[in-house]
Amino acid sequence: MKGMIIEKTGGTEVLQYKTDLPLPTPKDGQILVKNDYIGVNYIDTYFRTGLYPAPRMPLILGREAEGTVVATGGGETYGFSEGDMVIYLSEDTYAEYTAAPAAKALKPPKDLPEKIGAGCLLQGITALTLIREAHHVKKGDWVLVHAAAGGVGLWLCQLLKAVGARTIGTASTAEKIELAKKAGAEIMVNYSHENVEEKVMEVTNGEGCAAVLDGVGKSTFDLSMSCVARKGSMVSFGNASGAVPPFSIAKLSQKNVKLLRPTLFNYIYTREEFEHYAGELLDLILHDKMDTRIHEVYPLEQAARAHEVKPRAAQS
């Protein structure tokens, strides 16, 4: 089959397009999917660069896709059969075929446009679980979202507005600020020349934010801690600028802050959890007009272009 692999970590030059990869065989609990569209996410770049250790080499990148079931393995496959259209979360999706866990697949609603399933699941469910589980956001809460114009950031802006929260977002350009405002951010701070902490304290009357949702990591962690309110939640969920270095746990006692470093798959570990959050997300997309931004669609052999621009495209 065709696929995109890496045999070592590095820049986009390590991405190799192959046409002779072995066709995977679905094991117990798996379905074999012929992919139509494949989501592109920042986590793909983490494995490519080595920020996250690769589970094996060579490695097929990718975490979400949509396509057609062409075979099923044994065991529990949740009623999927050959010919079913599915959207799903799985490793090894930068390929023509993927042996995916049936427990993390769904038949898309009939009125869901193509490409949306491949572009919404990973980032959309991540954002949804952050505001439902990492910190249960309530109406009226002030929430700080770093990189508000990024993939998860734009989902957070939309979802926080939907639940009645008040969002302060950060971004570095006028274009990104407009994107985040359009998505629902009430206040935007251009961190390239504005003081984020001062703005947060001005807007919140010196109290800080009930939650800080930080997918940037190393470069924003201390700032995030200074912006969180007493008894608030500091949620560090990404490493776009690098991993957060070790720090003294006593630092949390200054404001009785709750610190979390969640990963999505511990929130959707069971089939029931996955169905709950995926179903809620799809309902929001279809009925509340949540926007799944597809930056562009690239041929699989041009996956490097997607990594060079920004991880928000879908591949075919």
Side-chain angles (χ1 to χ4, degrees):
M1 68 170 184
K2 302 170 186 175
M4 185 67 70
I5 69 167
I6 61 170
E7 295 179 311
K8 60 182 179 180
T9 58
T12 56
E13 72 281 353
V14 303
L15 290 163
Q16 302 179 61
Y17 181 67
K18 301 284 188 178
T19 59
D20 58 351
L21 297 176
L23 186 71
T25 300
K27 300 175 182 177
D28 282 356
Q30 291 185 328
I31 53 177
L32 183 64
V33 182
K34 187 178 190 304
N35 295 319
D36 295 322
Y37 295 96
I38 302 151
V40 184
N41 295 277
Y42 260 112
I43 194 170
D44 305 337
T45 71
Y46 293 170
F47 284 111
R48 191 202 75 227
T49 62
L51 180 61
Y52 286 178
R56 73 195 80 87
M57 285 291 184
L59 178 69
I60 297 175
L61 298 175
R63 292 280 162 152
E64 62 182 345
E66 65 180 75
T68 305
V69 176
V70 295
T72 60
E76 177 60 86
T77 54
Y78 298 97
F80 291 115
S81 58
E82 185 177 340
D84 286 341
M85 295 295 297
V86 291
I87 59 178
Y88 68 93
L89 295 172
S90 174
E91 298 178 348
D92 305 333
T93 59
Y94 280 29
E96 193 174 2
Y97 295 89
T98 300
K104 296 296 184 285
L106 288 174
K107 295 178 183 178
K110 292 181 179 179
D111 47 353
L112 187 73
E114 65 176 17
K115 298 190 291 290
I116 298 301
C120 77
L121 284 184
L122 190 68
Q123 294 179 1
I125 300 177
T126 294
L128 191 55
T129 54
L130 287 174
I131 72 165
R132 296 290 194 220
E133 302 240 14
H135 178 90
H136 190 81
V137 176
K138 300 185 292 297
K139 183 177 181 180
D141 279 350
W142 279 108
V143 179
L144 176 62
V145 177
H146 286 298
V152 174
L154 288 171
W155 276 110
L156 285 169
C157 290
Q158 293 183 86
L159 293 168
L160 288 166
K161 183 178 181 180
V163 301
R166 308 185 71 181
T167 303
I168 304 172
T170 69
S172 60
T173 69
E175 179 187 11
K176 291 178 179 179
I177 284 171
E178 286 307 308
L179 279 175
K181 283 184 175 179
K182 185 178 179 181
E186 182 175 341
I187 304 292
M188 285 298 298
V189 188
N190 189 326
Y191 65 80
S192 68
H193 63 270
E194 293 182 284
N195 187 300
V196 176
E197 182 181 0
E198 284 183 4
K199 188 66 174 179
V200 166
M201 292 306 168
E202 174 191 333
V203 169
T204 62
N205 295 318
E207 293 185 2
C209 292
V212 178
L213 305 177
D214 187 344
V216 177
K218 181 179 179 180
S219 68
T220 53
F221 183 81
D222 288 339
L223 170 63
S224 295
M225 289 291 290
S226 69
C227 291
V228 69
R230 182 180 64 87
K231 298 196 293 184
S233 297
M234 167 57 198
V235 183
S236 178
F237 67 91
N239 299 322
S241 68
V244 175
F247 74 102
S248 171
I249 194 171
K251 190 172 183 178
L252 303 177
S253 67
Q254 295 173 6
K255 292 185 284 189
N256 286 11
V257 170
K258 295 181 286 291
L259 173 65
L260 296 91
R261 182 48 174 96
T263 60
L264 169 62
F265 286 89
N266 280 328
Y267 287 137
I268 56 169
Y269 185 82
T270 68
R271 173 68 180 178
E272 292 73 21
E273 288 169 331
F274 172 71
E275 286 185 330
H276 172 79
Y277 283 116
E280 183 179 1
L281 177 68
L282 293 172
D283 188 65
L284 286 164
I285 291 170
L286 291 173
H287 300 111
D288 291 71
K289 308 303 181 186
M290 295 282 168
D291 181 21
T292 301
R293 292 190 79 246
I294 303 297
H295 172 73
E296 193 174 335
V297 179
Y298 302 83
L300 179 59
E301 61 267 29
Q302 294 180 21
R305 284 183 57 216
H307 282 222
E308 287 167 353
V309 180
K310 63 171 110 174
R312 192 62 204 104
Q315 302 171 330
S316 62

